[in-house]
Amino acid sequence: MVQALHSKSSFFTCLLALSLIAVLSSNVEAVTHRHKWEVNYGYKSPDCYKKLAITINGESPGPTIHAQQGDTIVVELNNALFSENVAVHWHGIRQIGTPWSDGTEAVTQCPIMPGDTFIYKFVVDKSNTMNMQAGTYLYHAHYGMQLTAGLYGFIIVSVPDGVLEPFVYDHDRSIILKDWYHASTYEQATGLSSIPFGWVGEPQSLLINGKGRFNCSLLDSSVCNAKNPECSPYSLTVVPGGRYRLRIGSLASLSAMSFEIEGHNMTVVEADGNYVEPFETKHLYINSGETYSVLVKADQDSSRNYWITANVVGRKPSTPTGLAIFNYYPNHRHKKPPTVPTTGPLWNDTASQLAQSRAIKAHHDFVHSPPPRSDRMIVLLNTQNKINGYYHWSLNNRSLTLPATPYLISLKQNFNGAFDQNPPPDSYDVENYDIYSVHDNVNTTSSNAIYSIKFNSTVDIILQNANSMTTGNSETHPWHMHGHDFWVLGFGNGTKFDMVNDPKGFNLVNPIMKNTVPLYPYGWTALRVRTDNPGVWIFHCHIEPHLFMGMGIVFEAGVEKVGKLPKSIMGCGETKRLINP
Amino acid sequence: MVQALHSKSSFFTCLLALSLIAVLSSNVEAVTHRHKWEVNYGYKSPDCYKKLAITINGESPGPTIHAQQGDTIVVELNNALFSENVAVHWHGIRQIGTPWSDGTEAVTQCPIMPGDTFIYKFVVDKSNTMNMQAGTYLYHAHYGMQLTAGLYGFIIVSVPDGVLEPFVYDHDRSIILKDWYHASTYEQATGLSSIPFGWVGEPQSLLINGKGRFNCSLLDSSVCNAKNPECSPYSLTVVPGGRYRLRIGSLASLSAMSFEIEGHNMTVVEADGNYVEPFETKHLYINSGETYSVLVKADQDSSRNYWITANVVGRKPSTPTGLAIFNYYPNHRHKKPPTVPTTGPLWNDTASQLAQSRAIKAHHDFVHSPPPRSDRMIVLLNTQNKINGYYHWSLNNRSLTLPATPYLISLKQNFNGAFDQNPPPDSYDVENYDIYSVHDNVNTTSSNAIYSIKFNSTVDIILQNANSMTTGNSETHPWHMHGHDFWVLGFGNGTKFDMVNDPKGFNLVNPIMKNTVPLYPYGWTALRVRTDNPGVWIFHCHIEPHLFMGMGIVFEAGVEKVGKLPKSIMGCGETKRLINP
């Protein structure tokens, strides 16, 4: 339980600074948290439909990792899958000094083979900038479509003892959101890489803390059993009058969602591990890869329960509302609320989603000012294309295809043949490209080329959305960066980014820092990043089938400063050249 | 087309010897056959039910490899699976001098990772003994349950030009048999390694050259379409009066089968690449891992077609008869025979199966006499056991569990910690063990220990069957040895092997050499092998779920004579110790 003062005065800043100094000088021992994970297949019925999932120690979602800022986390991962490799990414953790622990297959490591045990070891977080890393993070598989298969969970990093947070609560709770498919990930991936194209479609259900609901009535009860307790809705029990910090993270494969607690407003106070200038909302929009903390008061009629709902937004939904119960103690935790669950805001009310994105600003006591100007600007046109008849997503006409040898190793060992050495373009034909119409983009190619960015420089990245290959359609893409938080400078509202005028509107005063940010239909999103973390990092759409179809870029910065790579990340591709029997 | 004289006189032997000398001295260039394979998932409907299979260049069964004796085969295998490794075994090919090309994951190589290309290169065959290696062989995945997933095919090695075979035919045709499951191999493997145990059950269909039939009437037509041409029965077109060599191989996951061509007797002339003293049969019994050549004359009423049938034997069948058409030209190849397909001999007529096994003897002109006595005898009691609540198959109370580091590498590099260094026992409690009753076998353990056998020694292996964990049940197990052909010395008929008297009945005169031999219910099978091929080899039940459950042993012989290992087989487990960045 954490108690903190809420203050808008500079008194708070002062207090915080003092307490930080106190903590940092008090020689507190950082703790090492050791976890043993066995990754295996398991039959799961999260939405009553029984199917094979990839589990950690038999569970999906996996166990929550708890730590305090500055602690070390060690995860000893044994791959007990039969013939399938695995890699796990620690989403939002910057891996300062340990870029080989980022868990990104083909970027920072060879995947972990069946029978092998790999040790992930990293600190949460050494500070390389002002912002320390207490807050809400995620982990998930970063290989093939294994996130979709169910390998995901929370990392919760709390502030050191005695350090105050800029808000008050009595109880700390967490909810992880996921969409769920009944087709196997092998089937999904095969469809995505086939002619004719087999799209994964909308998910069968939305899971709240690993529990959802699917209408079993049409299916064989051996496959779908509505009475299976495994799929009874998650129930969040609250004490009347209690003040709750609710951490909400999404690791959806596809769906953006609106999250709501019937009859209760939420005050947003944290986003992706960064404190937010508090604002109240009825719906929290959340994209895959994002985390938020909201404060909720259990101050409603406590004689009944309330619905917690998750609804698809951003795509025309065909998935039932995800349901959980906001349970006022001492009501029975499975007592149904007397109301009809909300279906949430209109799925295509982009304006409302955009308004939330714009409302998220750094807490006034935790503003980390961005550098006033950038050294380089990379504009990335997001398009859907066909290459040799296969559907892809592309940035500036390059669709990312990952190499057999991880970039981090290729770069350190000078394996120049391991990937295309010609960097991809920094921009597109801004002047002539019509973002509102379908394009053939016949020059699009698959490429494993990467961006090389000067270490300790400031880069602006402009994500520019466009029409997909469907007339009148442009999709929302949540972009996630590894190894860094970035400043969110601004969003365009259904327009092409104007190089001259739009930068004038950038928020350089109190931009939020995040690791995942949405790009809205036909719009643009501008972000600024300091390349202060030596390594090779992927920046990609967090919709797993989109990444699978090439929607990402890879960049290196300061890779020459990376220390000696551990042997354990090797074994695949050209790294075999380093074997000397 | 091959023409040869059929002769039982010693004239033939002389002719053969002369022609062999002629060929060997004529400085014929051995040819290298290069194949490029992409291993990928593909939707297949071999029995009208659409499911994901593992394919080679889009096909399951994969392409037939053709070569002449002494040729070199190079298969450049690119793994295009998304997150799953692969390894391919060349079944029956001895890999003399290239034990690292045997394709056995965890024994001779690390598996091939997605994105990687591995080059298998081997000769078919350098002769290390009298028997050269022309004949009928197989290939298939040797990792997890990927054989069941559809990665399998033929290797057909013909005699060098001018060399005569001891039988005559006009046409050479081949048929590969398989049983087929609708559940994914991940589901099957998960069931096998779960509590409660989930047995794979009987297959949904039997495939003849990749085509079978499943009753689609109860299923959704998007999943099962009886009109899909992919599952129209295979048709073998014959010319009236033609003499056919029909090569038959089985790579069933589970099922032993009886194979029959309605109205046509078959003359068995080859077994596992060795010439057989010809005998006629109506049914050919064939186990997984076995190959046969039979001669068939198209000498029946040619105005109609005939059924080719495959039926399950050895287990109580619940799988429909596998059907193909023996099509007399010029009848339409899909014209149904006017008769009802046979359901074959009684599934539990073990005596008839045993009689066939005993009838298979070396062709009198191709007898390779076994050494008159052995240097060592290993008796392997085949039992089904529970270990910590999990079902296993065991040999002398050891259930094989494969290590993360391939044995071949561990042995050559002295990685003593990579597997249990205490060899498994050479026998069991022969005197007291009742093979007819269910045993707890509480001392059974999982083990990765191996047998170390003197190089160039002669070993007798007695496979002793016993009751499974089901009262009154003992199963048939086809045992397959890598790296060697062995002599089949004898079979026991539902009895325990008698160390004193049974060896007196061993056939040391004209035993057939084989690489796969059945062990019948409650019986024993005795075989003799010369350990003349340096390497590490697995000897195992060829029923894939049985091997998965531990039914095999591994032995090394002369591993110190193995040349420098290629780096390409490394990358997993302790082989990472050899990486020097």
Side-chain angles (χ1 to χ4, degrees):
Chain A
M1 209 174 304
V2 176
Q3 293 274 352
L5 291 172
H6 186 198
S7 159
K8 296 203 174 191
S9 74
S10 61
F11 168 74
F12 182 81
T13 315
C14 177
L15 195 68
L16 181 92
L18 284 171
S19 70
L20 259 175
I21 290 162
V23 168
L24 293 175
S25 61
S26 69
N27 216 358
V28 173
E29 286 281 330
V31 173
T32 297
H33 304 268
R34 294 178 190 281
H35 301 270
K36 283 205 171 198
W37 284 5
E38 187 183 80
V39 172
N40 209 339
Y41 298 112
Y43 276 106
K44 291 285 159 192
S45 303
D47 63 353
C48 307
Y49 180 93
K50 185 179 168 187
K51 63 162 282 192
L52 224 49
I54 296 185
T55 66
I56 297 167
N57 298 338
E59 299 302 323
S60 171
T64 296
I65 292 177
H66 291 277
Q68 268 186 351
Q69 189 184 299
D71 289 353
T72 297
I73 292 172
V74 177
V75 177
E76 201 174 301
L77 189 157
N78 174 247
N79 180 0
L81 304 172
F82 308 116
S83 52
E84 189 173 354
N85 307 312
V86 71
V88 177
H89 170 56
W90 317 95
H91 180 113
I93 307 299
R94 288 171 296 182
Q95 303 291 353
I96 295 160
T98 53
W100 48 75
S101 274
D102 191 48
T104 314
E105 187 272 334
V107 179
T108 65
Q109 71 167 110
C110 293
I112 307 162
M113 299 175 85
D116 280 356
T117 296
F118 185 90
I119 297 173
Y120 287 102
K121 183 175 180 180
F122 51 87
V123 174
V124 290
D125 198 19
K126 284 185 283 190
S127 172
N128 64 338
T129 61
M130 269 291 291
N131 64 324
M132 303 279 282
Q133 199 159 26
T136 309
Y137 304 97
L138 304 162
Y139 65 79
H140 59 84
H142 214 296
Y143 187 43
M145 290 185 68
Q146 295 179 336
L147 161 58
T148 300
L151 201 169
Y152 71 109
F154 260 129
I155 303 172
I156 294 179
V157 181
S158 49
V159 290
D161 297 340
V163 170
L164 301 179
E165 294 190 284
F167 44 83
V168 188
Y169 53 92
D170 307 310
H171 308 279
D172 193 339
R173 297 287 182 272
S174 55
I175 278 184
I176 200 159
L177 302 174
K178 177 117 195 67
D179 47 10
W180 195 245
Y181 288 86
H182 294 171
S184 76
T185 52
Y186 319 103
E187 292 167 326
Q188 291 187 42
T190 301
L192 294 176
S193 48
S194 291
I195 298 175
F197 182 61
W199 174 236
V200 300
E202 297 302 312
Q204 277 67 60
S205 57
L206 301 179
L207 307 185
I208 299 178
N209 277 352
K211 289 157 179 289
R213 56 164 194 159
F214 179 76
N215 182 355
C216 286
S217 62
L218 292 172
L219 297 174
D220 177 353
S221 66
S222 72
V223 177
C224 200
N225 173 12
K227 290 177 180 161
N228 187 335
E230 216 182 313
C231 56
S232 65
Y234 172 73
S235 188
L236 176 68
T237 301
V238 296
V239 178
R243 294 169 300 179
Y244 287 82
R245 175 185 189 163
L246 186 56
R247 300 172 189 264
I248 304 160
S250 171
L251 283 170
S253 298
L254 175 67
S255 315
M257 299 183 212
S258 67
F259 177 89
E260 189 172 337
I261 304 172
E262 182 189 7
H264 295 72
N265 276 355
M266 301 176 279
T267 303
V268 180
V269 294
E270 183 217 340
D272 295 2
N274 294 283
Y275 295 128
V276 168
E277 183 67 24
F279 68 96
E280 233 179 38
T281 187
K282 190 183 165 206
H283 321 290
L284 179 74
Y285 292 111
I286 183 165
N287 292 281
S288 178
E290 289 188 313
T291 68
Y292 291 97
S293 283
V294 298
L295 302 181
V296 185
K297 280 193 186 147
D299 58 4
Q300 299 300 304
D301 173 6
S302 65
S303 69
R304 52 161 288 199
N305 290 341
Y306 297 81
W307 289 115
I308 296 173
T309 51
N311 284 286
V312 171
V313 294
R315 306 178 62 89
K316 194 172 179 187
S318 65
T319 309
T321 299
L323 293 178
I325 293 173
F326 196 73
N327 162 234
Y328 272 85
Y329 184 85
N331 298 319
H332 191 283
R333 65 190 186 93
H334 283 146
K335 187 181 173 189
K336 278 200 178 170
T339 46
V340 174
T342 175
T343 52
L346 282 179
W347 69 270
N348 55 0
D349 184 359
T350 307
S352 159
Q353 299 167 46
L354 182 60
Q356 182 193 293
S357 289
R358 284 177 167 159
I360 300 170
K361 302 219 162 68
H363 187 283
H364 63 274
D365 284 324
F366 293 85
V367 172
H368 312 295
S369 297
R373 60 190 60 80
S374 67
D375 303 308
R376 180 172 172 183
M377 179 183 278
I378 299 174
V379 186
L380 296 173
L381 178 70
N382 288 235
T383 58
Q384 193 183 39
N385 311 96
K386 271 193 179 179
I387 303 175
N388 301 325
Y390 295 92
Y391 276 84
H392 285 264
W393 288 95
S394 308
L395 292 313
N396 298 349
N397 281 358
R398 305 290 176 99
S399 180
L400 181 64
T401 172
L402 293 168
T405 313
Y407 291 110
L408 180 59
I409 308 170
S410 295
L411 285 165
K412 290 293 288 181
Q413 301 290 337
N414 297 311
F415 293 159
N416 293 334
F419 64 92
D420 179 1
Q421 299 291 304
N422 301 304
D426 273 17
S427 191
Y428 70 107
D429 183 358
V430 176
E431 203 153 320
N432 298 308
Y433 194 93
D434 175 7
I435 63 165
Y436 303 104
S437 66
V438 173
H439 290 254
D440 278 343
N441 294 317
V442 290
N443 294 326
T444 308
T445 55
S446 288
S447 167
N448 57 24
I450 69 171
Y451 292 88
S452 190
I453 303 183
K454 196 168 171 234
F455 183 64
N456 262 336
S457 67
T458 303
V459 181
D460 284 355
I461 300 180
I462 314 297
L463 296 161
Q464 175 65 59
N465 216 335
N467 208 100
S468 73
M469 295 195 71
T470 307
T471 307
N473 174 263
S474 178
E475 301 191 8
T476 301
H477 303 285
W479 277 82
H480 170 64
M481 189 176 285
H482 290 215
H484 306 74
D485 283 2
F486 48 73
W487 291 274
V488 180
L489 301 187
F491 296 88
N493 187 1
T495 57
K496 195 193 285 189
F497 182 74
D498 178 331
M499 300 275 187
V500 177
N501 293 306
D502 282 329
K504 296 175 190 164
F506 283 171
N507 175 10
L508 300 178
V509 178
N510 60 351
I512 188 73
M513 297 196 82
K514 287 187 106 255
N515 60 58
T516 306
V517 69
L519 170 63
Y520 291 108
Y522 300 112
W524 54 261
T525 298
L527 51 96
R528 181 163 292 180
V529 62
R530 285 286 296 169
T531 55
D532 53 4
N533 190 7
V536 190
W537 311 102
I538 191 168
F539 175 49
H540 64 94
C541 174
H542 210 267
I543 292 175
E544 198 173 43
H546 285 187
L547 172 58
F548 190 88
M549 293 163 72
M551 199 166 206
I553 64 163
V554 172
F555 66 94
E556 74 83 16
V559 75
E560 68 284 355
K561 297 185 197 304
V562 171
K564 196 178 178 198
L565 301 180
K567 297 177 181 187
S568 59
I569 64 169
M570 305 186 187
C572 62
E574 294 202 29
T575 73
K576 289 189 181 166
R577 288 164 56 183
L578 303 173
I579 294 174
N580 288 303
Chain B
M1 208 173 304
V2 176
Q3 293 274 353
L5 290 172
H6 186 196
S7 160
K8 296 203 173 190
S9 73
S10 61
F11 168 74
F12 181 81
T13 316
C14 177
L15 195 71
L16 181 91
L18 284 171
S19 69
L20 258 175
I21 289 162
V23 168
L24 293 175
S25 60
S26 70
N27 214 359
V28 174
E29 286 281 332
V31 173
T32 297
H33 304 268
R34 295 180 189 279
H35 300 270
K36 284 206 171 198
W37 284 6
E38 187 183 80
V39 171
N40 208 340
Y41 298 112
Y43 277 105
K44 291 286 159 190
S45 303
D47 63 353
C48 307
Y49 180 93
K50 185 179 168 188
K51 64 161 281 193
L52 224 49
I54 297 185
T55 65
I56 297 167
N57 298 338
E59 298 302 324
S60 171
T64 296
I65 292 177
H66 290 277
Q68 268 187 351
Q69 189 184 300
D71 289 353
T72 297
I73 292 172
V74 177
V75 176
E76 202 175 300
L77 189 157
N78 174 247
N79 180 359
L81 303 172
F82 308 116
S83 51
E84 189 173 354
N85 308 311
V86 72
V88 177
H89 169 57
W90 317 95
H91 180 113
I93 307 300
R94 288 172 296 182
Q95 303 291 354
I96 295 160
T98 53
W100 48 75
S101 274
D102 191 49
T104 314
E105 187 273 333
V107 179
T108 65
Q109 72 167 108
C110 294
I112 308 162
M113 299 175 84
D116 279 357
T117 296
F118 184 91
I119 297 172
Y120 288 103
K121 183 176 179 178
F122 52 87
V123 175
V124 291
D125 199 15
K126 285 185 282 191
S127 172
N128 64 337
T129 63
M130 269 290 291
N131 64 322
M132 303 280 280
Q133 199 160 26
T136 309
Y137 304 96
L138 303 162
Y139 66 79
H140 59 84
H142 215 296
Y143 187 44
M145 290 186 68
Q146 294 179 336
L147 161 57
T148 300
L151 200 168
Y152 70 111
F154 260 129
I155 303 172
I156 293 178
V157 181
S158 49
V159 290
D161 297 340
V163 171
L164 301 178
E165 294 190 284
F167 44 82
V168 189
Y169 53 91
D170 308 310
H171 309 278
D172 193 339
R173 297 287 182 271
S174 55
I175 277 184
I176 199 159
L177 302 174
K178 177 117 194 69
D179 47 11
W180 195 245
Y181 288 86
H182 294 171
S184 76
T185 52
Y186 319 102
E187 291 168 326
Q188 292 187 41
T190 301
L192 294 175
S193 49
S194 291
I195 298 175
F197 181 61
W199 174 238
V200 301
E202 297 301 313
Q204 277 67 60
S205 56
L206 300 179
L207 307 185
I208 299 179
N209 277 353
K211 289 158 179 290
R213 54 163 194 159
F214 179 76
N215 182 354
C216 286
S217 62
L218 293 172
L219 297 175
D220 178 353
S221 65
S222 72
V223 177
C224 200
N225 173 12
K227 289 177 182 163
N228 187 336
E230 216 182 313
C231 56
S232 65
Y234 172 73
S235 189
L236 176 68
T237 301
V238 297
V239 178
R243 294 170 300 179
Y244 287 82
R245 175 185 190 164
L246 186 56
R247 300 171 190 265
I248 304 161
S250 171
L251 283 170
S253 298
L254 175 68
S255 315
M257 298 184 213
S258 69
F259 177 88
E260 190 172 337
I261 304 172
E262 183 190 8
H264 295 74
N265 277 355
M266 301 176 278
T267 303
V268 180
V269 294
E270 183 217 341
D272 295 2
N274 295 281
Y275 295 128
V276 169
E277 183 66 24
F279 67 94
E280 233 179 39
T281 187
K282 190 182 162 207
H283 321 289
L284 179 75
Y285 292 111
I286 182 165
N287 292 281
S288 178
E290 288 188 313
T291 68
Y292 291 97
S293 283
V294 298
L295 302 181
V296 185
K297 279 191 187 147
D299 58 3
Q300 298 300 305
D301 173 6
S302 66
S303 69
R304 50 161 291 199
N305 290 340
Y306 297 81
W307 288 115
I308 296 173
T309 53
N311 283 286
V312 171
V313 294
R315 306 178 62 89
K316 194 174 179 184
S318 65
T319 309
T321 298
L323 294 178
I325 293 172
F326 196 73
N327 162 236
Y328 272 84
Y329 184 83
N331 298 318
H332 191 283
R333 64 192 187 93
H334 283 145
K335 187 181 172 189
K336 278 201 177 170
T339 45
V340 175
T342 175
T343 54
L346 283 178
W347 69 269
N348 55 0
D349 183 0
T350 307
S352 160
Q353 297 167 46
L354 181 60
Q356 181 193 292
S357 289
R358 283 177 168 160
I360 299 170
K361 302 217 162 67
H363 187 282
H364 64 273
D365 285 324
F366 293 84
V367 172
H368 312 294
S369 297
R373 61 192 58 81
S374 67
D375 304 308
R376 180 172 173 184
M377 179 183 277
I378 298 174
V379 186
L380 297 173
L381 178 70
N382 288 235
T383 57
Q384 192 183 40
N385 311 97
K386 272 193 178 177
I387 303 175
N388 301 325
Y390 295 92
Y391 276 84
H392 284 264
W393 287 95
S394 308
L395 292 313
N396 298 348
N397 282 357
R398 305 291 176 98
S399 181
L400 182 64
T401 172
L402 294 168
T405 313
Y407 291 110
L408 181 60
I409 308 170
S410 295
L411 285 165
K412 289 293 287 180
Q413 301 290 339
N414 298 311
F415 293 159
N416 294 333
F419 64 91
D420 179 1
Q421 299 291 303
N422 300 305
D426 273 18
S427 191
Y428 69 106
D429 183 359
V430 176
E431 204 153 321
N432 298 308
Y433 194 93
D434 175 8
I435 63 165
Y436 303 105
S437 66
V438 173
H439 289 254
D440 279 343
N441 294 317
V442 289
N443 294 326
T444 309
T445 54
S446 288
S447 166
N448 56 23
I450 70 171
Y451 291 87
S452 190
I453 303 184
K454 195 168 171 236
F455 183 64
N456 262 336
S457 67
T458 303
V459 182
D460 283 355
I461 299 180
I462 314 296
L463 296 161
Q464 176 64 60
N465 216 335
N467 208 100
S468 72
M469 295 194 72
T470 306
T471 307
N473 174 262
S474 179
E475 301 190 7
T476 302
H477 303 285
W479 277 82
H480 170 64
M481 189 176 286
H482 290 215
H484 306 75
D485 283 2
F486 48 74
W487 290 275
V488 180
L489 301 187
F491 295 89
N493 186 2
T495 57
K496 195 193 283 188
F497 182 74
D498 178 332
M499 300 276 186
V500 177
N501 293 306
D502 282 328
K504 295 175 189 164
F506 282 171
N507 175 10
L508 300 178
V509 177
N510 60 350
I512 188 73
M513 297 195 82
K514 287 188 105 257
N515 60 58
T516 306
V517 68
L519 171 63
Y520 291 109
Y522 301 111
W524 54 261
T525 298
L527 50 96
R528 182 164 292 178
V529 62
R530 285 286 296 169
T531 56
D532 54 3
N533 190 7
V536 191
W537 311 102
I538 191 168
F539 175 49
H540 64 94
C541 175
H542 211 267
I543 292 175
E544 199 173 43
H546 286 187
L547 172 58
F548 190 88
M549 293 163 72
M551 198 166 206
I553 63 163
V554 172
F555 66 95
E556 74 83 15
V559 75
E560 68 283 355
K561 297 185 197 305
V562 171
K564 196 178 178 196
L565 302 179
K567 297 178 181 187
S568 58
I569 65 169
M570 305 186 188
C572 61
E574 293 202 29
T575 72
K576 289 190 180 166
R577 288 164 56 182
L578 303 172
I579 294 175
N580 288 303

